[in-house]
Protein backbone atom coordinates (compact mmCIF):
# COMPACT_ATOMS: atom_id res chain seq x y z
CA UNK A 1 0.00 0.00 0.00
CA UNK A 2 2.88 2.37 0.73
CA UNK A 3 5.21 2.94 -2.19
CA UNK A 4 6.64 6.42 -1.85
CA UNK A 5 10.28 7.02 -2.50
CA UNK A 6 11.19 8.59 0.82
CA UNK A 7 14.00 11.07 0.28
CA UNK A 8 16.58 11.69 3.00
CA UNK A 9 17.40 15.40 2.86
CA UNK A 10 20.27 17.11 4.70
CA UNK A 11 19.23 20.30 6.46
CA UNK A 12 21.39 22.64 4.38
CA UNK A 13 19.73 25.92 3.33
CA UNK A 14 18.88 24.21 0.02
CA UNK A 15 17.55 21.11 1.82
CA UNK A 16 15.36 23.23 4.10
CA UNK A 17 13.90 25.01 1.07
CA UNK A 18 13.22 21.67 -0.59
CA UNK A 19 11.41 20.36 2.51
CA UNK A 20 9.27 23.50 2.71
CA UNK A 21 8.44 23.18 -0.98
CA UNK A 22 7.23 19.58 -0.52
CA UNK A 23 4.96 20.72 2.32
CA UNK A 24 3.69 23.62 0.21
CA UNK A 25 2.73 21.11 -2.47
CA UNK A 26 0.70 19.02 -0.02
CA UNK A 27 3.40 16.48 0.85
CA UNK A 28 4.61 14.94 4.11
CA UNK A 29 8.07 15.60 5.58
CA UNK A 30 9.53 14.44 8.90
CA UNK A 31 11.29 17.50 10.35
CA UNK A 32 13.49 17.98 13.40
CA UNK A 33 12.18 19.93 16.38
CA UNK A 34 13.77 20.50 19.79
CA UNK A 35 11.47 17.89 21.40
CA UNK A 36 11.18 15.02 18.90
CA UNK A 37 10.92 14.83 15.10
CA UNK A 38 7.48 15.80 13.77
CA UNK A 39 5.66 14.56 10.67
CA UNK A 40 4.83 17.87 9.02
CA UNK A 41 2.07 18.78 6.56
CA UNK A 42 0.11 21.92 5.69
CA UNK A 43 -2.35 22.22 8.61
CA UNK A 44 -4.91 24.03 6.48
CA UNK A 45 -5.07 21.32 3.78
CA UNK A 46 -7.49 18.53 4.71
CA UNK A 47 -5.94 16.23 2.16
CA UNK A 48 -2.38 16.73 3.41
CA UNK A 49 -3.48 16.23 7.02
CA UNK A 50 -5.38 13.05 6.09
CA UNK A 51 -2.05 11.77 4.74
CA UNK A 52 -0.47 12.15 8.20
CA UNK A 53 -3.05 9.85 9.78
CA UNK A 54 -2.57 7.22 7.07
CA UNK A 55 1.24 7.34 7.13
CA UNK A 56 1.44 6.96 10.93
CA UNK A 57 -1.43 4.51 11.27
CA UNK A 58 -2.86 7.03 13.71
CA UNK A 59 -6.32 6.67 15.28
CA UNK A 60 -8.85 9.03 13.68
CA UNK A 61 -9.82 10.51 17.04
CA UNK A 62 -6.34 11.62 18.14
CA UNK A 63 -5.91 15.33 17.25
CA UNK A 64 -2.73 16.96 15.96
CA UNK A 65 -0.65 19.88 17.20
CA UNK A 66 -0.48 22.92 14.92
CA UNK A 67 2.96 24.56 14.70
CA UNK A 68 3.45 28.24 13.87
CA UNK A 69 6.38 30.66 14.01
CA UNK A 70 4.85 33.66 15.82
CA UNK A 71 2.08 34.62 18.26
CA UNK A 72 0.66 36.85 15.53
CA UNK A 73 0.01 33.86 13.28
CA UNK A 74 -2.09 32.20 16.01
CA UNK A 75 -4.83 34.84 15.76
CA UNK A 76 -6.65 33.42 12.72
CA UNK A 77 -6.50 29.88 14.15
CA UNK A 78 -8.30 30.55 17.44
CA UNK A 79 -11.61 32.05 18.56
CA UNK A 80 -9.84 34.51 20.82
CA UNK A 81 -6.47 34.80 22.49
CA UNK A 82 -6.83 34.67 26.28
CA UNK A 83 -4.69 37.19 28.26
CA UNK A 84 -2.69 34.42 29.90
CA UNK A 85 -1.47 33.25 26.49
CA UNK A 86 0.74 36.33 26.11
CA UNK A 87 2.39 35.74 29.47
CA UNK A 88 3.00 32.08 28.71
CA UNK A 89 4.31 32.96 25.25
CA UNK A 90 6.75 35.48 26.74
CA UNK A 91 8.05 32.94 29.22
CA UNK A 92 8.11 29.71 27.21
CA UNK A 93 7.89 30.36 23.45
CA UNK A 94 9.50 29.53 21.21
CA UNK A 95 9.91 26.22 23.01
CA UNK A 96 8.57 22.85 24.12
CA UNK A 97 5.12 23.97 25.31
CA UNK A 98 1.82 23.26 23.50
CA UNK A 99 -1.21 25.31 24.47
CA UNK A 100 -4.81 24.30 23.84
CA UNK A 101 -7.26 27.10 22.95
CA UNK A 102 -10.73 27.36 21.40
CA UNK A 103 -10.39 26.91 17.65
CA UNK A 104 -11.62 29.12 14.82
CA UNK A 105 -13.39 27.86 11.69
CA UNK A 106 -10.15 28.11 9.73
CA UNK A 107 -8.65 25.00 11.31
CA UNK A 108 -10.01 21.94 9.49
CA UNK A 109 -11.93 19.48 11.68
CA UNK A 110 -9.62 16.68 10.61
CA UNK A 111 -6.75 18.39 12.51
CA UNK A 112 -8.68 18.54 15.79
CA UNK A 113 -10.73 15.38 15.21
CA UNK A 114 -13.91 17.36 15.62
CA UNK A 115 -12.98 18.95 18.97
CA UNK A 116 -13.78 22.66 19.42
CA UNK A 117 -10.22 23.29 20.63
CA UNK A 118 -6.86 23.34 18.87
CA UNK A 119 -3.37 22.58 20.24
CA UNK A 120 -0.72 25.13 19.19
CA UNK A 121 3.05 25.31 19.60
CA UNK A 122 5.87 27.60 18.46
CA UNK A 123 8.97 25.38 18.26
CA UNK A 124 12.40 26.83 19.06
CA UNK A 125 14.37 24.56 16.72
CA UNK A 126 15.91 26.79 14.04
CA UNK A 127 15.28 24.31 11.22
CA UNK A 128 11.64 23.73 12.23
CA UNK A 129 11.14 27.46 12.40
CA UNK A 130 12.67 27.97 8.93
CA UNK A 131 10.53 25.22 7.42
CA UNK A 132 7.36 26.80 8.86
CA UNK A 133 8.34 30.25 7.55
CA UNK A 134 9.24 29.03 4.06
CA UNK A 135 6.18 26.80 3.73
CA UNK A 136 4.06 29.89 4.31
CA UNK A 137 1.47 28.08 6.40
CA UNK A 138 0.71 26.62 9.81
CA UNK A 139 2.05 23.09 10.05
CA UNK A 140 0.32 20.09 11.60
CA UNK A 141 2.87 17.73 13.07
CA UNK A 142 2.49 14.74 15.35
CA UNK A 143 5.64 12.87 16.38
CA UNK A 144 7.15 11.26 13.27
CA UNK A 145 6.92 7.64 14.45
CA UNK A 146 4.50 4.84 13.62
CA UNK A 147 1.68 5.09 16.14
CA UNK A 148 2.56 3.10 19.24
CA UNK A 149 6.34 3.03 18.80
CA UNK A 150 8.78 5.27 20.70
CA UNK A 151 8.88 8.87 19.42
CA UNK A 152 11.81 9.62 17.06
CA UNK A 153 14.72 11.76 18.17
CA UNK A 154 16.86 11.27 15.04
CA UNK A 155 16.28 11.20 11.28
CA UNK A 156 17.25 7.52 11.35
CA UNK A 157 14.36 6.72 13.71
CA UNK A 158 11.95 8.50 11.35
CA UNK A 159 13.30 6.66 8.36
CA UNK A 160 13.02 3.28 10.11
CA UNK A 161 9.34 3.92 10.85
CA UNK A 162 8.17 5.89 7.83
CA UNK A 163 10.24 4.80 4.82
CA UNK A 164 7.86 4.42 1.81
CA UNK A 165 5.10 6.21 3.77
CA UNK A 166 6.25 9.86 3.54
CA UNK A 167 7.87 12.08 0.92
CA UNK A 168 11.00 13.00 2.84
CA UNK A 169 12.91 13.05 6.11
CA UNK A 170 14.85 16.24 6.84
CA UNK A 171 17.96 15.35 8.83
CA UNK A 172 18.76 18.01 11.42
CA UNK A 173 20.64 15.89 13.96
CA UNK A 174 19.44 14.83 17.40
CA UNK A 175 16.42 16.36 19.16
CA UNK A 176 17.91 17.71 22.40
CA UNK A 177 14.87 17.60 24.68
CA UNK A 178 14.05 14.02 23.72
CA UNK A 179 10.43 13.91 24.94
CA UNK A 180 7.40 15.61 23.41
CA UNK A 181 6.18 19.05 24.46
CA UNK A 182 4.22 19.81 27.61
CA UNK A 183 0.52 19.99 26.66
CA UNK A 184 -1.40 22.63 28.61
CA UNK A 185 -5.17 23.18 28.33
CA UNK A 186 -6.12 26.80 29.09
CA UNK A 187 -9.72 26.49 27.86
CA UNK A 188 -10.71 25.17 31.31
CA UNK A 189 -11.58 27.34 34.34
CA UNK A 190 -8.82 25.42 36.10
CA UNK A 191 -6.02 25.05 33.53
CA UNK A 192 -4.54 21.60 33.34
CA UNK A 193 -1.40 19.85 32.15
CA UNK A 194 -2.55 16.99 29.92
CA UNK A 195 0.96 15.78 29.09
CA UNK A 196 4.12 16.68 31.04
CA UNK A 197 7.23 17.76 29.14
CA UNK A 198 10.41 19.81 29.43
CA UNK A 199 8.46 22.90 30.55
CA UNK A 200 7.51 21.75 34.03
CA UNK A 201 4.42 21.97 36.23
CA UNK A 202 6.44 24.04 38.71
CA UNK A 203 7.45 26.55 36.00
CA UNK A 204 3.93 27.02 34.60
CA UNK A 205 2.43 27.31 38.10
CA UNK A 206 4.40 30.56 38.51
CA UNK A 207 1.94 32.01 35.97
CA UNK A 208 -1.14 29.92 36.77
CA UNK A 209 -1.40 29.40 40.54
CA UNK A 210 -4.43 27.08 40.27
CA UNK A 211 -2.75 24.80 37.70
CA UNK A 212 -3.58 21.09 37.92
CA UNK A 213 -2.22 17.90 36.36
CA UNK A 214 -4.51 15.42 34.65
CA UNK A 215 -4.99 12.20 36.55
CA UNK A 216 -4.06 10.16 33.47
CA UNK A 217 -0.48 11.52 33.53
CA UNK A 218 0.60 8.97 36.13
CA UNK A 219 -2.35 6.56 36.21
CA UNK A 220 -3.95 4.22 33.72
CA UNK A 221 -7.22 5.55 32.33
CA UNK A 222 -10.16 4.09 34.18
CA UNK A 223 -12.63 2.04 32.19
CA UNK A 224 -15.35 4.26 30.73
CA UNK A 225 -13.66 7.58 31.59
CA UNK A 226 -13.29 9.98 28.67
CA UNK A 227 -9.67 11.18 28.43
CA UNK A 228 -8.99 14.96 28.40
CA UNK A 229 -6.45 14.32 25.70
CA UNK A 230 -7.43 11.56 23.29
CA UNK A 231 -3.76 10.56 22.92
CA UNK A 232 -3.70 9.36 26.51
CA UNK A 233 -5.81 6.31 25.86
CA UNK A 234 -3.49 4.71 23.33
CA UNK A 235 -0.66 2.31 24.03
CA UNK A 236 2.48 4.32 23.57
CA UNK A 237 6.21 4.37 23.28
CA UNK A 238 6.44 0.59 23.32
CA UNK A 239 9.58 -1.16 22.25
CA UNK A 240 9.19 -4.86 21.34
CA UNK A 241 10.62 -5.81 24.71
CA UNK A 242 8.45 -5.93 27.78
CA UNK A 243 9.38 -3.07 30.11
CA UNK A 244 9.00 -3.29 33.89
CA UNK A 245 9.72 -0.29 36.11
CA UNK A 246 11.58 -0.94 39.36
CA UNK A 247 11.12 1.63 42.10
CA UNK A 248 14.03 1.20 44.48
CA UNK A 249 17.33 2.62 45.66
CA UNK A 250 20.41 1.80 43.61
CA UNK A 251 21.55 -1.16 45.71
CA UNK A 252 18.14 -2.87 45.77
CA UNK A 253 17.57 -2.16 42.08
CA UNK A 254 20.85 -3.79 41.06
CA UNK A 255 20.32 -6.77 43.36
CA UNK A 256 16.81 -7.35 41.98
CA UNK A 257 17.94 -7.09 38.35
CA UNK A 258 20.96 -9.36 38.87
CA UNK A 259 18.82 -12.02 40.54
CA UNK A 260 15.89 -11.94 38.12
CA UNK A 261 17.68 -11.70 34.78
CA UNK A 262 17.93 -14.29 32.03
CA UNK A 263 20.08 -13.91 28.89
CA UNK A 264 17.51 -11.70 27.14
CA UNK A 265 17.13 -9.30 30.07
CA UNK A 266 18.56 -5.78 29.96
CA UNK A 267 18.71 -2.91 32.43
CA UNK A 268 17.70 0.69 31.73
CA UNK A 269 19.64 2.16 34.60
CA UNK A 270 21.21 5.31 36.03
CA UNK A 271 24.96 6.00 35.84
CA UNK A 272 25.26 5.21 39.55
CA UNK A 273 23.95 1.64 39.01
CA UNK A 274 26.46 0.62 36.36
CA UNK A 275 29.22 -0.67 38.66
CA UNK A 276 26.87 -3.11 40.42
CA UNK A 277 24.97 -4.55 37.46
CA UNK A 278 25.80 -8.00 36.10
CA UNK A 279 23.46 -7.79 33.07
CA UNK A 280 23.78 -5.78 29.84
CA UNK A 281 22.55 -2.25 30.38
CA UNK A 282 21.98 1.17 28.89
CA UNK A 283 22.24 4.09 31.27
CA UNK A 284 19.89 6.96 30.55
CA UNK A 285 21.69 9.47 32.75
CA UNK A 286 22.63 10.23 36.33
CA UNK A 287 19.90 9.61 38.91
CA UNK A 288 19.31 13.30 39.61
CA UNK A 289 19.69 14.49 36.00
CA UNK A 290 16.14 14.25 34.69
CA UNK A 291 16.87 16.35 31.58
CA UNK A 292 19.51 13.87 30.38
CA UNK A 293 17.16 10.97 31.13
CA UNK A 294 14.56 12.67 28.91
CA UNK A 295 17.08 13.14 26.10
CA UNK A 296 18.09 9.47 26.16
CA UNK A 297 14.84 7.66 26.96
CA UNK A 298 13.35 7.02 23.51
CA UNK A 299 16.73 6.34 21.89
CA UNK A 300 17.43 3.75 24.58
CA UNK A 301 14.05 2.07 24.07
CA UNK A 302 14.79 1.75 20.36
CA UNK A 303 18.30 0.43 21.06
CA UNK A 304 16.89 -2.35 23.22
CA UNK A 305 14.94 -3.54 20.18
CA UNK A 306 18.13 -3.58 18.12
CA UNK A 307 19.73 -5.72 20.83
CA UNK A 308 16.74 -8.10 20.75
CA UNK A 309 15.91 -7.50 24.38
CA UNK A 310 12.90 -9.42 25.66
CA UNK A 311 12.66 -7.87 29.09
CA UNK A 312 13.90 -4.48 30.29
CA UNK A 313 14.06 -3.55 33.96
CA UNK A 314 13.95 0.25 34.09
CA UNK A 315 15.12 2.11 37.18
CA UNK A 316 12.23 4.42 38.11
CA UNK A 317 12.92 8.15 37.61
CA UNK A 318 11.82 10.82 40.07
CA UNK A 319 8.53 12.63 39.42
CA UNK A 320 10.07 16.07 40.07
CA UNK A 321 10.55 18.67 37.33
CA UNK A 322 11.32 17.10 33.95
CA UNK A 323 11.28 13.71 35.73
CA UNK A 324 7.47 13.78 35.54
CA UNK A 325 7.68 13.69 31.72
CA UNK A 326 10.19 10.82 31.81
CA UNK A 327 8.05 8.85 34.27
CA UNK A 328 4.89 9.50 32.21
CA UNK A 329 6.49 8.06 29.04
CA UNK A 330 8.12 5.15 30.84
CA UNK A 331 4.84 4.18 32.55
CA UNK A 332 3.20 3.91 29.14
CA UNK A 333 6.11 1.96 27.67
CA UNK A 334 5.73 -0.41 30.66
CA UNK A 335 1.92 -0.57 30.42
CA UNK A 336 1.99 0.69 34.04
CA UNK A 337 3.83 -2.35 35.38
CA UNK A 338 5.79 -1.14 38.41
CA UNK A 339 7.52 -3.19 41.10
CA UNK A 340 8.24 -1.25 44.29
CA UNK A 341 10.99 -2.76 46.45
O1 LIG B 1 6.76 17.98 21.03
C1 LIG B 1 5.71 17.71 20.45
O2 LIG B 1 4.61 18.06 20.89
C2 LIG B 1 5.81 16.94 19.13
C3 LIG B 1 6.56 17.82 18.15
C4 LIG B 1 6.59 17.24 16.77
O3 LIG B 1 6.03 19.12 18.15
N1 LIG B 1 4.51 16.57 18.67
C5 LIG B 1 3.75 15.63 19.29
O4 LIG B 1 2.53 15.39 18.70
O5 LIG B 1 4.10 15.04 20.27
P1 LIG B 1 1.65 14.11 19.03
O6 LIG B 1 0.59 14.12 17.99
O7 LIG B 1 2.50 12.91 19.09
O8 LIG B 1 0.99 14.42 20.40
C6 LIG B 1 -0.04 15.39 20.52
C7 LIG B 1 -0.81 15.19 21.78
C8 LIG B 1 -1.73 13.97 21.70
O9 LIG B 1 -1.71 13.30 22.95
C9 LIG B 1 -3.09 14.59 21.40
O10 LIG B 1 -4.15 13.78 21.87
C10 LIG B 1 -3.00 15.90 22.15
O11 LIG B 1 -1.66 16.33 21.98
N2 LIG B 1 -3.89 16.93 21.59
C11 LIG B 1 -3.81 17.55 20.38
N3 LIG B 1 -4.82 18.41 20.20
C12 LIG B 1 -5.57 18.36 21.34
C13 LIG B 1 -6.76 19.03 21.76
N4 LIG B 1 -7.38 19.90 21.00
N5 LIG B 1 -7.25 18.71 22.99
C14 LIG B 1 -6.61 17.80 23.78
N6 LIG B 1 -5.48 17.14 23.43
C15 LIG B 1 -4.98 17.42 22.22
MG1 LIG C 1 3.16 11.00 19.42
Amino acid sequence: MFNKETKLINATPQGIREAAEIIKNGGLVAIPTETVYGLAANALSEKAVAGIFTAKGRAQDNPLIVHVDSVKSIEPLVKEIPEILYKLADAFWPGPLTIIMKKSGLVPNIVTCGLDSVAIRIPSHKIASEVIKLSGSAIAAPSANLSGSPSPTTAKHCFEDLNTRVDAVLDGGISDVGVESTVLDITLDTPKILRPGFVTFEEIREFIPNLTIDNAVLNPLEEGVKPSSPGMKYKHYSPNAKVVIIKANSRDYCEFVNQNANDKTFALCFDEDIANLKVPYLSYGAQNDEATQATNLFTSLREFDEMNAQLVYAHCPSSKGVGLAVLNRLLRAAAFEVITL
Side-chain angles (χ1 to χ4, degrees), residues 36 56 58 62 142-145 149 151 180 195 236-237:
V36 300
K56 274 184 63 91
R58 185 176 178 101
N62 193 5
S143 47
N145 53 309
S149 76
S151 293
E180 309 87 340
R195 180 176 72 184
H236 255 140
Y237 317 122

Side-chain angles (χ1 to χ4, degrees), residues 34-222:
E34 71 278 20
T35 54
V36 300
Y37 274 67
L39 182 56
N42 180 347
L44 302 184
S45 157
E46 275 183 41
K47 193 161 168 243
V49 172
I52 292 180
F53 284 88
T54 311
K56 274 184 63 91
R58 185 176 178 101
Q60 299 290 333
D61 65 350
N62 193 5
L64 308 178
I65 297 173
V66 175
H67 298 69
V68 294
D69 65 351
S70 69
V71 174
K72 191 90 194 123
S73 45
I74 295 175
E75 281 169 18
L77 304 173
V78 300
K79 229 175 177 174
E80 55 170 358
I81 298 200
E83 264 318 298
I84 186 70
L85 190 275
Y86 295 104
K87 290 189 186 149
L88 295 168
D90 265 357
F92 304 113
W93 275 348
L97 174 65
T98 294
I99 302 180
I100 296 177
M101 287 171 269
K102 292 277 180 213
K103 83 186 259 299
S104 75
L106 188 65
V107 182
N109 281 327
I110 187 168
V111 173
T112 61
C113 301
L115 296 176
D116 62 359
S117 61
V118 58
I120 297 183
R121 173 163 112 81
I122 303 182
S124 63
H125 198 290
K126 289 280 178 305
I127 296 170
S129 192
E130 272 295 292
V131 172
I132 297 169
K133 256 190 205 83
L134 294 172
S135 75
S137 170
I139 281 184
S143 47
N145 53 309
L146 283 177
S147 281
S149 76
S151 293
T153 53
T154 65
K156 178 173 166 266
H157 297 161
C158 300
F159 203 80
E160 280 164 7
D161 276 22
L162 299 176
N163 184 22
T164 73
R165 293 170 175 250
V166 304
D167 296 294
V169 174
L170 182 61
D171 188 350
I174 293 169
S175 294
D176 291 333
V177 172
V179 292
E180 309 87 340
S181 61
T182 308
V183 177
L184 170 67
D185 188 346
I186 59 169
T187 66
L188 309 163
D189 289 335
T190 317
K192 202 190 250 185
I193 290 184
L194 304 184
R195 180 176 72 184
F198 191 76
V199 175
T200 63
F201 172 76
E202 294 86 342
E203 285 170 323
I204 300 173
R205 200 177 43 186
E206 297 281 317
F207 299 87
I208 306 177
N210 63 343
L211 182 66
T212 58
I213 301 183
D214 199 280
N215 203 30
V217 163
L218 292 182
N219 300 290
L221 259 189
E222 284 166 48

Side-chain angles (χ1 to χ4, degrees), residues 246-317:
I246 310 296
K247 202 170 175 184
N249 63 33
S250 182
R251 202 197 57 212
D252 293 349
Y253 168 75
C254 294
E255 201 176 290
F256 176 91
V257 174
N258 291 338
Q259 276 172 7
N260 290 280
N262 65 33
D263 63 345
K264 287 276 168 51
T265 306
F266 290 70
L268 177 61
C269 67
F270 298 131
D271 295 346
E272 293 85 341
D273 304 325
I274 292 174
N276 296 316
L277 281 173
K278 297 195 178 92
V279 304
Y281 63 84
L282 292 174
S283 169
Y284 65 138
Q287 177 139 29
N288 62 4
D289 185 357
E290 290 87 8
T292 299
Q293 293 159 24
T295 305
N296 292 329
L297 179 67
F298 288 138
T299 310
S300 303
L301 292 178
R302 282 181 184 257
E303 275 179 45
F304 285 124
D305 279 346
E306 279 172 23
M307 301 188 294
N308 286 320
Q310 273 174 9
L311 176 62
V312 173
Y313 286 126
H315 200 166
C316 187

